[in-house]
Amino acid sequence: AGLRPAIEPGPFNDLHPCTRSGNTTGFWTNHTYFNWYKYVDEHPEIFSVDANGKRNVTNKAPQRNAQNHVNFLHPKVLELDMQRLKEFEETRARHWNYSLWPNSRYVRFFPRDNENVYPDMSPASRALWTPDRENSTLSEVIFGYAAKFARAVGKEYPGKRLAFPSYAGYLYPPLTVKMPDNADVLICTVKGNSLLVSKSHWDHNVDVVNQWY
């Protein structure tokens, strides 16, 4: 009791390379879609379909966190994300665990790991896939949504930024999407501790950073 949570950017931001950046800048993110099974009954249309056009959805435990894959092309997803943010700002509604609460600088966006393995397979989604790009088949889909989310956040809450990842399945930056100025990418390397593994892994990670730069 009485401890100030370390989620606000402080006066020592210049020290973050020597400590841990999230602890000083408020810039971090993690998976933000674990409890979306609560929308299965009211908004089944926001969930992904398989190659046969079938939705595999449930709000029953334990399958509810293994199923219900979000379709980030559906406009209702952004509407719900902004509604959740508004409810947090007004009432501190706990749509995320404590570490993922928005703060004075950042709103956080990060699909579940399952979205990499079971993406929406509708024709509209598949038309945006780029399977020839390493670990980046879904870059146009995920970052297309991240760009829309960041713009909506900036319009509704001037000064706030979106913290979002580049990660397995959407590692390299998009080719057709322009990211807005209030979008900050957290690059999640996927080949381990590169300097301790091999030079090729190091070169790969440097290439990912340079591509984003």
Side-chain angles (χ1 to χ4, degrees), residues 140-207:
E140 305 303 312
V141 175
I142 300 301
F143 299 129
Y145 181 78
K148 293 176 184 176
F149 194 6
R151 291 189 187 98
V153 167
K155 181 178 179 180
E156 189 68 25
Y157 303 99
K160 281 191 183 290
R161 308 182 65 80
L162 186 74
F164 68 97
S166 77
Y167 190 54
Y170 42 94
L171 183 64
Y172 279 90
L175 299 174
T176 63
V177 177
K178 179 175 175 57
M179 302 305 296
D181 291 340
N182 69 324
D184 292 342
V185 60
L186 181 72
I187 298 174
C188 305
T189 58
V190 296
K191 292 194 173 183
N193 192 327
S194 51
L195 281 178
L196 298 180
V197 178
S198 73
K199 182 179 183 300
S200 66
H201 289 182
W202 170 257
D203 291 342
H204 165 80
N205 288 345
V206 170
D207 183 55

